[in-house]
Amino acid sequence: MSEEFTCWEETFFLRPTVKIARGLLGALLVRDLPEGRLVGRIVETEAYLQNDPACHGVRVLPEGGTVHRHTARNATMFGPPGRAYVYFTYGNHFMFNVITQPEDVPEAVLIRAIEPLEGLDMMTRLRGMDDIYALTSGPGKLTKAFAIDRTFDGHDLCQPPLRLVQGSPVPDPQVVPATRIGISRGTDLLWRFYVRENPWVSRTSR
DNA sequence: AGAATGATCCTCT
DNA sequence: GAGGATCATTCTC
């Protein structure tokens, strides 16, 4: 029951975004609700970069190059690091990302899967199901289990009621680099990372 | 204004 | 493994 949750300094989020995606494995997501606290350990992430055709902050030119793309939806991607970028997709799901890099550089890490540690009863209620391996094993699942919606877009992740804090680092032999999921461009890049053998990882193939 | 798409999930076969 | 749900956002004309 220790209250010692430690955020990162801003410099953590100014390192290369692919390294941050790797480094966020093992980090904890702490969600405070009126009914209690939810805690989970990040086990799968993906990096999205400013020159990356799959990134929301990027437009692909007909000639094949890329430029930054500002829109209403992705505005927080151009904001300061250490904040949440939350958007709605497929008519059903919120996606939760961590913004990296200085202002005006649209890069982020998508949190794809979490291992639930605390508050599993509340997560089953929020998810409307009781299979613990299905609670948080996907980007849309974990936002529902943690009650994360678009009101958190732009939220400072060092502040309650939603915090991203340090956990136990995951050693290299346990980290699997893989291709990203559900995108139509940039599919060859190994910018997804997950914890080997962890049952909450959304997809273990490549 | 209308069409297409989407960093997904669930159910069914 | 395939297909439908479902709608906000973005793109195209």
Side-chain angles (χ1 to χ4, degrees), chain A residues 125-196:
Chain A
R125 241 175 289 139
L126 286 160
R127 283 278 283 125
M129 64 158 59
D130 53 11
D131 175 0
I132 66 165
Y133 295 109
L135 278 186
T136 53
S137 53
K141 300 178 190 177
L142 71 90
T143 53
K144 192 167 184 190
F146 274 67
I148 296 170
D149 61 20
R150 207 167 46 186
T151 64
F152 282 99
D153 188 38
H155 174 75
D156 180 352
L157 291 169
C158 217
Q159 302 297 329
L162 181 63
R163 282 172 288 177
L164 177 69
V165 301
Q166 299 181 36
S168 300
V170 177
D172 281 334
Q174 287 179 34
V175 176
V176 181
T179 54
R180 296 175 295 179
I181 293 179
I183 54 174
S184 52
R185 294 192 262 227
T187 52
D188 52 331
L189 300 164
L190 298 177
W191 287 353
R192 180 164 75 103
F193 299 93
Y194 64 85
V195 177
R196 191 185 303 276

Side-chain angles (χ1 to χ4, degrees), chain A residues 4-9 12 26-30 164-169:
Chain A
E4 303 175 35
F5 290 127
T6 308
C7 307
W8 281 277
E9 301 296 323
F12 177 85
L28 304 180
L29 195 63
V30 181
L164 177 69
V165 301
Q166 299 181 36
S168 300

Side-chain angles (χ1 to χ4, degrees), chain A residues 102-124:
Chain A
E103 290 195 47
D104 298 320
V105 180
E107 300 196 352
V109 174
L110 171 69
I111 308 303
R112 284 195 57 89
I114 280 178
E115 174 179 342
L117 297 180
E118 189 178 321
L120 275 76
D121 52 340
M122 203 182 312
M123 293 183 204
T124 60

